[in-house]
């Protein structure tokens, strides 16, 4: 593969990646909104689990007499840990998704001019295009100047 073909392949890969990233953004934003909406839903569950745990850890006189205090405390602690872990997992997923969106936004910015650069490259090197593919390249990527007529 000569230098010209390598450049064409590189531009085509950049354009394909740019389109791939653009198509992925709506799903990522939707998932981020979904995860962010879970946070307010999870906080009352944690608060209730904490309240229940505090109630079991500070039992009244009659509760201590009935026994089963250790079993109730274990259940309350487990419920609280599970609720807190769910919130932590949700927050970690949000953070990871925000980082991914940020990274892909930077990559998109880097690739933003790929199509224009490719078009300019093809125009500048139209004589270097293989005869069989010249009209295809130019009509596909520079349709305003070259038509299949």
């Amino acid at each position: 593969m000569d230098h010209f073909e390598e450049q064409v392949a590189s531009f085509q890969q950049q354009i394909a990646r740019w389109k791939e990233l653009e198509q992925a953004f709506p799903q990522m934003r939707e998932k981020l909104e979904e995860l962010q909406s879970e946070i307010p839903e999870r906080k009352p569950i944690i608060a209730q689990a904490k309240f229940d745990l505090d109630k079991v850890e500070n039992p009244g006189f009659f509760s201590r007499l009935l026994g089963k205090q250790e079993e109730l405390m274990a259940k309350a602690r487990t419920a609280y840990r599970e609720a807190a872990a769910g919130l932590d997992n949700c927050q970690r997923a949000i953070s990871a998704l925000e980082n991914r969106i940020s990274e892909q936004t930077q990559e998109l910015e880097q690739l933003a001019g790929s199509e224009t650069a490719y078009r300019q490259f093809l125009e500048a090197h139209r004589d270097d295009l293989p005869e069989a593919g010249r009209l295809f390249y130019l009509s596909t990527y520079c349709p305003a100047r070259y038509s299949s007529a």
Side-chain angles (χ1 to χ4, degrees):
M1 186 183 287
D2 68 1
H3 183 65
F4 175 78
E5 290 173 343
E6 288 175 7
Q7 287 181 300
V8 168
S10 175
F11 277 120
Q12 289 173 342
Q13 289 172 349
Q14 290 173 11
I15 292 167
R17 178 65 178 151
W18 181 73
K19 289 178 180 179
E20 176 187 321
L21 290 173
E22 273 206 331
Q23 289 176 352
F25 265 91
Q27 292 101 354
M28 287 192 305
R29 295 235 182 258
E30 186 177 307
K31 182 64 176 173
L32 182 61
E33 289 172 9
E34 178 186 317
L35 289 170
Q36 288 171 332
S37 72
E38 286 183 29
I39 298 290
E41 296 169 4
R42 290 178 181 271
K43 286 186 177 183
I45 295 169
I46 292 173
Q48 183 62 49
K50 178 67 173 149
F51 176 77
D52 293 344
L53 179 61
D54 289 343
K55 194 165 68 173
V56 170
E57 286 181 336
N58 302 308
F61 176 74
F62 291 109
S63 296
R64 280 183 275 188
L65 290 178
L66 295 175
K68 294 189 179 182
Q69 192 60 31
E70 290 302 316
E71 183 181 329
L72 290 174
M73 259 198 282
K75 286 181 181 179
R77 284 184 184 130
T78 300
Y80 177 71
R81 279 194 297 266
E82 287 174 358
L87 179 63
D88 289 344
N89 289 341
C90 187
Q91 289 172 329
R92 275 195 296 277
I94 287 171
S95 179
L97 194 52
E98 286 174 337
N99 288 339
R100 186 171 168 210
I101 288 171
S102 176
E103 289 168 2
Q104 289 191 357
T105 299
Q106 290 175 353
E107 189 176 355
L108 263 175
E109 289 170 359
Q110 292 171 351
L111 297 170
S114 296
E115 263 186 313
T116 302
Y118 187 39
R119 190 176 310 114
Q120 291 170 346
F121 174 80
L122 288 175
E123 291 241 2
H125 294 89
R126 66 178 162 253
D127 293 335
D128 297 334
L129 291 170
E131 187 65 39
R134 184 175 301 159
L135 186 58
F136 168 75
Y137 278 113
L138 295 175
S139 64
T140 301
Y141 295 102
C142 310
R145 295 195 65 196
Y146 303 95
S147 64
S148 57

